[in-house]
Amino acid sequence: DQQVKQNSPSLSVQEGRISILNCDYTNSMFDYFLWYKKYPAEGPTFLISISSIKDKNEDGRFTVFLNKSAKHLSLHIVPSQPGDSAVYFCAASDQSSGSARQLTFGSGTQLTVLP
Amino acid sequence: DAGVTQSPTHLIKTRGQQVTLRCSPKSGHDTVSWYQQALGQGPQFIFQYYEEEERQRGNFPDRFSGHQFPNYSSELNVNALLLGDSALYLCASSRASARNEQFFGPGTRLTVL
């Protein structure tokens, strides 16, 4: 049972345009969400996060939106740059895991930004 | 400031063998979590170590075990390797006060033949 789903395995966007990556979750105990970016042969790099008490968090070109009622979050990248081409993982932290805060990941979306 | 480091980078083993992977956390971090990432999948939580004890465990068999040392570094051991254990093994470190913020190492690519 996949608790975090990224239904789009890949996304192609033109340089300078907006990239929108989507993520859905089923576990209502998730209260903290993160986006990681991963290049080949490297570990995931933290990008941006959002607590369930907020519905938006912005950091430079990256904005994450959280819709708790729909159990949906999205990552917006504006403007997209060729260096943004990577696999993006959505992850969620479960308050029921206590202080451990294990992360549950989606299967990732390969973003390709075309020059 | 060194980030999370892992060794070795790559490893090839045969079925039935045992393997040990190593992780050094980011400076100032005291908690280490291990994840397994199979091809085409997201990372899956194996277990977490804090104060030299296993604090939380994911859905992995007892063949997977670990250890944390007084300097916070950690080892992941896998016994009786199966072909299905072939994956990228990721170590993530965090501070006990901020375990939501996990920083990942580059991973160890394990291939079981």
Side-chain angles (χ1 to χ4, degrees):
Chain A
D1 176 31
Q2 252 190 312
Q3 299 185 63
V4 177
K5 297 180 184 179
Q6 294 178 255
N7 292 317
S8 298
S10 63
L11 174 69
S12 290
V13 170
Q14 208 67 37
E15 181 179 5
R17 306 295 287 266
I18 183 171
S19 295
I20 300 177
L21 295 97
N22 294 302
C23 178
D24 297 296
Y25 62 96
T26 58
N27 189 342
S28 58
M29 298 297 283
F30 289 146
D31 64 350
Y32 197 82
F33 303 88
L34 308 93
W35 285 94
Y36 285 86
K37 178 170 73 173
K38 187 177 184 304
Y39 294 117
E42 294 184 13
T45 302
F46 171 76
L47 205 53
I48 192 169
S49 62
I50 187 167
S51 165
S52 62
I53 62 173
K54 296 185 174 181
D55 53 18
K56 177 182 174 182
N57 188 26
E58 197 170 349
D59 183 2
R61 296 187 297 116
F62 303 92
T63 303
V64 56
F65 295 92
L66 175 61
N67 182 334
K68 288 188 292 295
S69 60
K71 292 191 173 66
H72 177 84
L73 65 155
S74 61
L75 173 68
H76 292 211
I77 306 173
V78 184
S80 301
Q81 300 173 354
D84 295 330
S85 297
V87 177
Y88 288 77
F89 289 101
C90 168
S93 173
D94 180 359
Q95 61 179 323
S96 70
S97 70
S99 61
R101 289 293 177 170
Q102 68 186 69
L103 296 178
T104 301
F105 283 82
S107 54
T109 297
Q110 171 71 58
L111 172 66
T112 302
V113 180
L114 305 168
Chain B
D1 174 28
V4 180
T5 60
Q6 292 186 243
S7 63
T9 307
H10 296 89
L11 207 49
I12 299 175
K13 292 285 188 179
T14 56
R15 279 179 297 175
Q17 283 190 310
Q18 179 263 343
V19 69
T20 297
L21 311 181
R22 295 176 176 82
C23 171
S24 290
K26 184 177 166 67
S27 178
H29 287 187
D30 54 15
T31 301
V32 173
S33 303
W34 287 91
Y35 292 81
Q36 180 196 65
Q37 186 181 9
L39 205 58
Q41 304 291 324
Q44 267 197 294
F45 177 76
I46 303 175
F47 43 53
Q48 182 182 92
Y49 275 83
Y50 172 63
E51 291 185 328
E52 302 179 48
E53 289 188 12
E54 182 183 296
R55 299 292 177 161
Q56 188 85 18
R57 189 177 184 93
N59 189 23
F60 279 81
D62 292 344
R63 297 187 298 109
F64 290 77
S65 64
H67 189 77
Q68 185 180 34
F69 299 93
N71 67 353
Y72 309 120
S73 66
S74 176
E75 287 181 351
L76 164 65
N77 301 293
V78 187
N79 294 323
L81 284 167
L82 304 174
L83 295 179
D85 294 332
S86 295
L88 180 67
Y89 288 85
L90 295 162
C91 168
S93 74
S94 57
R95 290 177 288 129
S97 58
R99 288 209 180 99
N100 277 325
E101 299 170 10
Q102 297 187 22
F103 293 80
F104 284 81
T108 294
R109 171 70 64 186
L110 172 65
T111 302
V112 182
L113 302 176

